[in-house]
């Protein structure tokens, strides 16, 4: 059977948008003063802003994605920067296309 | 981006169980008086009973799965029998393992 927590992590428009944007962060976000968009990830503040939601709401979405293993967070100064975990995402795709 | 309605249809333990049972209905359900388990599908009454939920609750889950195209329903007398739509399920798997 499918991993329901993985599926639940994906079952949300905003979380799918975040995953989509982080696939090509330079296309979707302006350069950051701290942290390189590709090497370090995107600061959660900018993700919240682009998503048009409060920081706590965005933080909740990022947490769900990180707990499902789809994103990795990296702390730089007082901020957290997020990027996709492509290995885990590939593993998730394999699971989703397997037997269910 | 992924089809969020498809993912939402899968984002539930009970719905994943229904899909699992209907993969091999003869293993999971006793023979029915009306409707062959494999040819016609499984009567929603038996699915509700095995799931341990009321008929309306089960009906809601079946409706979500059918609307996502993962199940097909067939009316026999006053009952509805459900089976997997394997073509649509294969297409869904392809989508889920594609770009997101």
């Amino acid at each position: 059977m499918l991993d329901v927590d993985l599926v639940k992590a994906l079952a949300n428009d905003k979380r799918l948008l975040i995953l989509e944007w982080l696939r090509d962060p330079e296309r979707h976000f302006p350069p950051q003063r701290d942290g390189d968009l590709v090497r370090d990830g995107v600061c959660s503040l900018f993700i919240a802003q682009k998503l048009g939601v409060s920081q706590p709401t965005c933080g909740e979405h990022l947490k769900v994605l990180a707990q499902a293993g789809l994103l990795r967070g990296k702390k730089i100064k007082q901020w957290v920067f997020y990027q996709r975990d492509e290995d885990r995402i590939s593993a998730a795709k394999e699971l989703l296309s397997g037997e269910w």
Side-chain angles (χ1 to χ4, degrees), chain A residues 5-90:
Chain A
D5 288 326
L6 165 65
V7 183
K8 281 183 179 169
L10 295 172
N12 178 282
D13 276 319
K14 294 208 184 315
R15 290 199 288 276
L16 289 179
L17 263 181
I18 294 172
L19 284 168
E20 171 92 356
W21 293 337
L22 295 185
R23 256 175 67 201
D24 189 356
E26 287 174 318
R27 193 178 146 199
H28 295 285
F29 296 92
Q32 305 168 133
R33 206 189 51 194
D34 296 289
D36 178 79
L37 286 172
V38 174
R39 195 191 57 224
D40 303 308
V42 180
C43 179
S44 64
L45 298 186
F46 295 119
I47 301 175
Q49 193 176 41
K50 190 170 168 76
L51 214 51
V53 301
S54 70
Q55 287 171 39
T57 298
C58 183
E60 195 47 51
H61 287 312
L62 292 166
K63 194 175 114 185
V64 172
L65 289 168
Q67 280 177 343
L70 304 171
L71 296 187
R72 272 176 294 139
K74 178 199 237 177
K75 206 166 174 204
I76 301 178
K77 295 184 184 167
Q78 71 267 49
W79 301 291
V80 188
F81 294 68
Y82 284 91
Q83 57 189 305
R84 288 162 58 105
D85 187 329
E86 296 294 353
D87 288 345
R88 301 285 295 271
I89 287 176
S90 294

